[in-house]
Amino acid sequence: MKRPISKTLLITRAGYQQLKNEHDELWFKKRPEVTKIVTWAASLGDRSENADYQYNKRLLRQIDGRLRFLRKRLENLTIVDYSPQQAGRVFFGAWVSIEDDDGNTLSFRIVGPDEIYGRNDYISIDSPMARALLKKQIDDMATVQTPTGSRDWYILDIQYPDANS
């Protein structure tokens, strides 16, 4: 799955570790396995009609592309840890609970764009919702521009996962 290059280079410590683990899994486990299969398939002779060779060679190129992306991305990311000055306000890494005028509630964590994949409870710091909530406090109202017009949300709760450590 190809992920877009994002503009924000912030990431939580857990998100950074997850990307690092993906890199290590690809580099130390997956790539050597696929390389062995490619070497074995190549030794069988005619590569033009060898499905094992062609499929695994393509897979190896995909792995190498993802590894290049991860190395460059990990090198440029800035890990953001909780700071006591953030207490009581919405900043990067916060878990936020909000409610609209109709009583609909949402809870999510504001994280870097590299962390939102596969998670329904994370939103990117680059999203309109996150931008509207930044620096707000409990009971503040945030107006979010949506395709159907603006919508008001009220902040119910703000938590930081690392605040107690």
Side-chain angles (χ1 to χ4, degrees):
M1 172 162 119
K2 198 154 193 166
R3 298 179 183 168
I5 301 293
S6 16
K7 58 184 173 184
T8 301
L9 296 173
L10 303 178
I11 195 164
T12 63
R13 188 163 299 279
Y16 185 89
Q17 190 58 50
Q18 189 174 5
L19 288 181
K20 178 87 172 80
N21 291 347
E22 179 186 355
H23 172 274
D24 292 349
E25 172 77 14
L26 288 172
W27 182 249
F28 294 113
K29 188 173 181 206
K30 188 85 170 162
R31 190 177 193 285
E33 289 171 2
V34 174
T35 302
K36 281 183 191 173
I37 294 170
V38 168
T39 303
W40 166 80
S43 72
L44 298 177
D46 185 11
R47 297 177 188 171
S48 64
E49 295 185 22
N50 186 329
D52 277 331
Y53 177 82
Q54 291 176 354
Y55 171 79
N56 286 290
K57 190 70 174 172
R58 186 176 325 114
L59 182 58
L60 190 59
R61 282 193 301 273
Q62 291 170 349
I63 290 170
D64 286 344
R66 183 69 179 154
L67 282 167
R68 278 190 302 277
F69 171 81
L70 288 170
R71 284 186 180 138
K72 187 172 184 176
R73 193 73 180 154
L74 288 167
E75 182 180 294
N76 292 314
L77 288 169
T78 301
I79 298 172
V80 177
D81 289 316
Y82 171 77
S83 169
Q85 293 118 341
Q86 293 175 255
R89 291 194 178 271
V90 177
F91 288 103
F92 186 86
W95 281 98
V96 183
S97 295
I98 57 175
E99 181 177 28
D100 67 4
D101 291 326
D102 298 329
N104 299 315
T105 60
L106 295 174
S107 293
F108 48 79
R109 186 172 188 201
I110 299 173
V111 296
D114 295 290
E115 300 176 76
I116 61 173
Y117 298 96
R119 298 288 304 248
N120 293 331
D121 57 345
Y122 279 12
I123 66 169
S124 171
I125 187 76
D126 295 327
S127 70
M129 176 68 81
R131 293 292 180 192
L133 293 171
L134 285 177
K135 300 182 183 175
K136 300 274 195 265
Q137 301 178 68
I138 292 176
D139 294 331
D140 282 356
M141 181 184 73
T143 302
V144 180
Q145 297 302 322
T146 69
T148 58
S150 63
R151 197 160 168 196
D152 295 332
W153 292 90
Y154 301 91
I155 300 173
L156 302 174
D157 190 37
I158 304 165
Q159 298 289 324
Y160 288 92
D162 302 323
N164 299 325
S165 56

